[in-house]
Amino acid sequence: MSVVSALSSRSKSSGIDPAYHPVDPASEKGDVQTSTNQIQSLSITPKRKSKRGLGSVVHILTHVAGFLWIAPIVTLLVLNFKNHVIGASIWCPKGKCNAQAYGDNAIATASKLDGEDHNILGALQFVAKGLEVWFMVVATSLVYDVALYLAKSRGGLPIGYLFTHLEFGDIRNLINPLLWTSPIPHGNLMPSKPSGTLKLYLFAMLAAFLTILTNLMGPATAVLVLPTLQWVDTGHKPTQVFGSLAASDPPRGDTVFPDCNNTQLLTRNYSCTSKVYGPSMDSWLSQSLSSTAQDAQDYGSLALGTSQEGSVEFTVNASTTGDLFWIPNRHVLRSLSYDLQDLASYVSGDLQANGTRTQKQPSYNNSLETVLQREGPSIGVAADCFNGTVTVLDLAKNKQVRCLGGWTPNSDTSGFENSNYTKCFRYGTGWGGSNQVAGFYLGDAGKKADETYVRVYSSDKATAFNSTTDFGSQIQRCMEEGAKDCDWDQIFDTPIDPVLTNGTTNPLVTEHENPDYGSSTVWCDAIAYNAFPTYTLNTAVSANPMWLVSLNKLPAETDKNFNKTPIAVSPDWVLAAWSVANNGTVDRSREIGKELARVVPSAFEPFNESAPDPDQLEFVFIHLYSLAQSLSLINYDYSDDQASLSAAAKAKDKSQPVLTTWATLRVWAYGLSGRTPKLGVAVSILGCACVLLRLILAVSLRIKHEHGVVELFVAALEHQPTQEFDDLQDEAKMAKVRYIMQDGHGRPKFVSERVYSGGLSGGLETP
């Protein structure tokens, strides 16, 4: 039976205990005099022992408990706002729980820590539940205090709100009609004075708000209490100010290649690279070609080959949003290898040459995995191979135009009927700009006339035409008439279709000529771009046993910050990759020479896009990996002094960015990444506000917690109704009856608000 029904049933009861009801039921009338006699009868009730002292103590203790709840909540908020890092395990006393991520027992240690973490996470679940129950006590006290204040106020408290503090925690309270209709006066229940209605609506909203808050407090505290296993960055350290990429110039300097000095490089003899990078290229190529055989199997697929630089391995990286292949820079990889060596010293405290040991870094020892990260330049390339005829125009000394047929660019969306273009580019020193050529023979050095000649051109400008259009450049007419008096500068400056423009700026063209095929040629086109991705190395042997470096934050061709202007690449970098002098010979006994000689004849045959010849695919792979080797070797200039770093940081020049390095640690930590933790913070802050609100209300309204729930229930049972429930059968209407609570010598007494307001001729002091 509900409280409302219980009280209403008293008005219909025929047997009243006189010990609890000194007013004679037979004399009850609805007039003011009878009501006054009933109120004044409180003064003759036997005096009971007061419990105000105990109630005050309990009231104070609930406030203390509320403030004590704030302490762990504030602590958790601080830990999460500061992204506090615990370490390799949740339980790391004084920050020491060495995961031995680089030791022989790394996996066993990680498994042991994982078991301990599981137990601690379970314990923290109980902590979160305790905080939830703790807040429930605070919220219940707040609702109870406000309800008692309203019960003692002039407007009174509807009987429907008498035990709201016991009901508000149930989420169903939000759809309880009594919560929202009890403040509304109805008919003969209209209070004698329309006071307190607004307060009652505010009380209903407070109860509804606390219903939501208390039901969210459990998951909110759990989100804040439970740390998560996450990747946390160390501080980003500026190390270099990028100057320029040495791509357009031939290799120069004593530090570009191991075992090569500048004197050798000036002669354009790059055989000095054969000791380190000759086997490297052969091995890289062998891996890729063996993968083509695996791909032919029903269960197989193509796998990218890897190459080594220093202590790390790398491969070609492909962007998921474009046709570019990104080549890691070997000079950045060398720096990353030094970073890896430094990490090993930090972890183990290695003995140095001066007899001292490297200071151990707790942050690296106290992590499950460490990922080294370094920003640096990388070259992205769009490359493909074609076969067709070649036409050469000698316009003047050191001023030639070379036109290669069969160009079918993948980017062609021009809409012209014929997408098979002839691509013409200029070369020779007479043009100025970056127009260079280099080449080498493939086969027997004593029979150069019979061997394939690989010629590499670097041109600053190119154009294209087909049978449908020449885009207004008039190049087709000039070629047909052999007109040397044509304005060739204008021809190469004439804009062509925008989707083909990038393919005509700074192309690197590799052409394979063979006397057996006359004017036919096989040629490969490459367009290169420069960007600054992040080089990433996961140093955990269990996760990355080969120490393979990957590139992150690769730009797409549609990115706003991506520099879409292709860069010029000197053909001498290709010679360095092949470890050959200009016009020298790559012997067929070398792995790459043997494989290229094997597949070149097939490359001269027409390409079948629907059913490509395996040898033709391998020819494309050879070109791609030799190109990757060439681009990976290119060095760059940089400054690393503090003055340059500070100046560049202020200038913020995108063409000369400040390159940073840092580590990312896999650790247990607190944090606010994601929406759920932020919701937990908001709920917890609102909980703290409720604690402060209760204190403010207690001080400003002088709310005292003098009576317990049992005393209220007894007072409700003792109350003798005065016709306020007559003719009321609907629970919703009964809930609207308002009562004022008075103190009857240490015991609460309920008085109908209408009787109270109409019978105050001097017998009772109003609150």
Side-chain angles (χ1 to χ4, degrees):
M1 180 182 292
S2 68
V3 174
V4 174
S5 301
L7 288 178
S8 63
S9 65
R10 294 286 295 168
S11 64
K12 301 176 178 61
S13 175
S14 59
I16 306 296
D17 189 347
Y20 290 92
H21 302 278
V23 180
D24 186 1
S27 64
E28 289 185 2
K29 295 181 180 180
D31 56 13
V32 175
Q33 183 63 39
T34 302
S35 302
T36 304
N37 292 338
Q38 181 183 354
I39 296 172
Q40 291 176 342
S41 68
L42 294 174
S43 62
I44 63 173
T45 303
K47 193 172 183 179
R48 292 176 171 86
K49 185 177 180 180
S50 175
K51 297 183 179 179
R52 291 186 179 182
L54 179 60
S56 298
V57 172
V58 173
H59 187 63
I60 293 173
L61 289 177
T62 57
H63 280 288
V64 173
F67 275 98
L68 291 177
W69 181 84
I70 290 179
I73 294 299
V74 170
T75 301
L76 291 173
L77 290 174
V78 171
L79 291 175
N80 282 275
F81 274 112
K82 288 188 174 183
N83 296 317
H84 175 70
V85 175
I86 302 173
S89 175
I90 302 176
W91 179 246
C92 286
K94 298 181 180 181
K96 297 180 179 179
C97 52
N98 192 347
Q100 298 180 4
Y102 309 98
D104 296 334
N105 298 320
I107 297 179
T109 303
S111 178
K112 176 178 177 294
L113 293 176
D114 182 67
E116 295 175 354
D117 293 338
H118 181 77
N119 293 330
I120 296 172
L121 286 174
L124 290 178
Q125 292 276 10
F126 286 99
V127 173
K129 186 63 179 179
L131 290 173
E132 177 191 5
V133 174
W134 195 348
F135 178 76
M136 179 64 75
V137 174
V138 175
T140 301
S141 299
L142 174 58
V143 175
Y144 188 68
D145 287 351
V146 176
L148 289 186
Y149 167 74
L150 293 174
K152 294 180 180 181
S153 300
R154 181 176 295 276
L157 181 74
I159 193 173
Y161 288 163
L162 187 59
F163 293 116
T164 300
H165 64 286
L166 300 178
E167 301 171 343
F168 81 96
D170 190 343
I171 193 66
R172 293 175 297 178
N173 186 54
L174 295 174
I175 59 175
N176 183 1
L178 300 184
L179 178 67
W180 306 107
T181 60
S182 293
I184 305 173
H186 178 75
N188 63 333
L189 300 177
M190 185 73 68
S192 57
K193 295 182 180 180
S195 61
T197 300
L198 177 60
K199 294 180 181 179
L200 293 176
Y201 277 117
L202 292 176
F203 176 75
M205 287 188 286
L206 175 65
F209 168 73
L210 289 175
T211 297
I212 298 174
L213 192 63
T214 53
N215 281 276
L216 290 177
M217 191 57 69
T221 54
V223 168
L224 296 181
V225 167
L226 299 176
T228 56
L229 192 59
Q230 53 188 274
W231 293 101
V232 176
D233 288 345
T234 61
H236 288 229
K237 179 183 177 182
T239 57
Q240 298 174 349
V241 178
F242 179 80
S244 61
L245 198 65
S248 60
D249 298 320
R252 293 292 183 266
D254 295 328
T255 60
V256 180
F257 309 116
D259 301 325
C260 291
N261 56 51
N262 193 51
T263 302
Q264 293 171 302
L265 300 182
L266 286 172
T267 63
R268 302 184 74 183
N269 185 351
Y270 301 100
S271 59
C272 59
T273 66
S274 61
K275 182 177 180 180
V276 176
Y277 293 121
S280 169
M281 187 169 176
D282 290 351
S283 174
W284 201 356
L285 178 64
S286 296
Q287 292 179 50
S288 65
L289 294 183
S290 66
S291 181
T292 60
Q294 291 288 341
D295 182 51
Q297 309 302 316
D298 294 338
Y299 49 82
S301 63
L302 284 174
L304 296 175
T306 62
S307 184
Q308 182 179 353
E309 182 63 39
S311 302
V312 301
E313 298 272 342
F314 71 97
T315 188
V316 175
N317 289 250
S319 173
T320 58
T321 56
D323 297 326
L324 299 181
F325 292 95
W326 290 92
I327 318 300
N329 186 285
R330 289 183 180 271
H331 298 270
V332 180
L333 295 172
R334 292 178 195 175
S335 298
L336 201 57
S337 296
Y338 284 122
D339 293 343
L340 181 61
Q341 294 176 9
D342 290 342
L343 175 63
S345 298
Y346 292 151
V347 170
S348 61
D350 286 345
L351 186 65
Q352 304 300 301
N354 59 6
T356 61
R357 288 191 177 275
T358 305
Q359 183 179 1
K360 290 186 178 182
Q361 300 293 324
S363 57
Y364 296 125
N365 281 288
N366 197 16
S367 64
L368 292 172
E369 291 181 47
T370 299
V371 177
L372 299 178
Q373 313 227 41
R374 176 177 282 270
E375 294 174 326
S378 175
I379 295 179
V381 62
D384 206 349
C385 294
F386 316 92
N387 55 23
T389 58
V390 57
T391 303
V392 181
L393 298 177
D394 289 312
L395 305 181
K397 185 178 181 180
N398 295 324
K399 199 172 183 181
Q400 292 83 28
V401 173
R402 198 170 187 88
C403 296
L404 302 173
W407 186 38
T408 54
N410 294 330
S411 60
D412 180 25
T413 56
S414 58
F416 293 104
E417 181 180 352
N418 184 7
S419 61
N420 193 319
Y421 294 87
T422 295
K423 185 172 187 175
C424 298
F425 60 90
R426 63 188 194 182
Y427 69 98
T429 57
W431 293 103
S434 179
N435 293 283
Q436 307 170 44
V437 62
F440 59 90
Y441 290 93
L442 180 66
D444 189 347
K447 300 179 181 179
K448 289 184 178 181
D450 300 326
E451 300 295 350
T452 298
Y453 187 73
V454 180
R455 196 187 307 267
V456 186
Y457 301 89
S458 175
S459 175
D460 61 343
K461 292 183 180 180
T463 189
F465 69 91
N466 60 17
S467 59
T468 306
T469 181
D470 62 4
F471 305 102
S473 68
Q474 302 300 313
I475 186 175
Q476 195 167 9
R477 178 186 64 82
C478 289
M479 289 184 62
E480 291 173 353
E481 298 177 0
K484 297 184 180 181
D485 57 347
C486 291
D487 189 347
W488 287 95
D489 288 327
Q490 178 63 33
I491 288 174
F492 283 106
D493 287 337
T494 301
I496 64 173
D497 191 271
V499 298
L500 303 176
T501 299
N502 280 2
T504 58
T505 304
N506 292 326
L508 182 69
V509 179
T510 303
E511 188 178 345
H512 296 76
E513 306 168 5
N514 192 293
D516 294 339
Y517 295 93
S519 61
S520 298
T521 186
V522 177
W523 61 284
C524 299
D525 190 32
I527 305 296
Y529 304 86
N530 183 37
F532 301 92
T534 300
Y535 290 69
T536 300
L537 171 62
N538 189 336
T539 60
V541 177
S542 58
N544 188 18
M546 294 178 60
W547 282 338
L548 181 66
V549 176
S550 61
L551 298 181
N552 287 334
K553 300 181 181 178
L554 290 171
E557 295 176 76
T558 56
D559 289 349
K560 294 180 180 180
N561 296 327
F562 178 50
N563 187 353
K564 299 179 178 61
T565 302
I567 63 173
V569 179
S570 170
D572 280 36
W573 291 104
V574 178
L575 298 179
W578 285 81
S579 302
V580 65
N582 186 36
N583 290 321
T585 302
V586 175
D587 195 274
R588 290 187 182 182
S589 61
R590 228 182 107 179
E591 182 67 22
I592 190 170
K594 179 182 67 176
E595 294 296 339
L596 185 57
R598 177 178 62 84
V599 298
V600 160
S602 298
F604 279 93
E605 300 297 329
F607 288 159
N608 186 345
E609 297 290 343
S610 59
D613 185 284
D615 286 348
Q616 291 178 337
L617 286 179
E618 291 186 357
F619 173 82
V620 174
F621 287 154
I622 292 173
H623 172 70
L624 176 61
Y625 280 97
S626 63
L627 181 62
Q629 178 81 333
S630 306
L631 299 179
S632 72
L633 296 172
I634 298 174
N635 63 312
Y636 63 97
D637 298 325
Y638 63 88
S639 302
D640 56 5
D641 58 282
Q642 190 59 46
S644 299
L645 291 170
S646 300
K650 295 178 181 178
K652 297 181 179 179
D653 185 354
K654 292 183 179 179
S655 64
Q656 293 183 318
V658 177
L659 306 177
T660 62
T661 181
W662 69 97
T664 303
L665 310 178
R666 187 162 176 79
V667 292
W668 288 95
Y670 290 96
L672 299 178
S673 58
R675 297 177 181 177
T676 304
K678 292 181 176 65
L679 177 62
V681 168
V683 171
S684 299
I685 291 176
L686 290 174
C688 295
C690 289
V691 174
L692 298 177
L693 175 64
R694 182 169 177 245
L695 176 63
I696 293 172
L697 292 177
V699 173
S700 61
L701 303 179
R702 298 181 180 179
I703 297 176
K704 297 181 180 180
H705 193 151
E706 298 176 342
H707 305 293
V709 177
V710 175
E711 289 181 296
L712 293 183
F713 191 74
V714 171
L717 293 176
E718 288 182 334
H719 173 70
Q720 179 62 42
T722 54
Q723 301 179 352
E724 58 264 34
F725 292 107
D726 288 356
D727 300 324
L728 296 182
Q729 303 298 328
D730 187 357
E731 184 181 29
K733 294 181 180 179
M734 298 177 191
K736 297 179 180 182
V737 177
R738 299 186 186 182
Y739 280 89
I740 293 177
M741 189 178 71
Q742 290 292 318
D743 185 12
H745 300 287
R747 290 271 299 277
K749 296 294 181 180
F750 289 105
V751 179
S752 170
E753 188 274 339
R754 291 179 57 82
V755 173
Y756 177 83
S757 300
L760 295 176
S761 57
L764 193 63
E765 181 181 357
T766 61

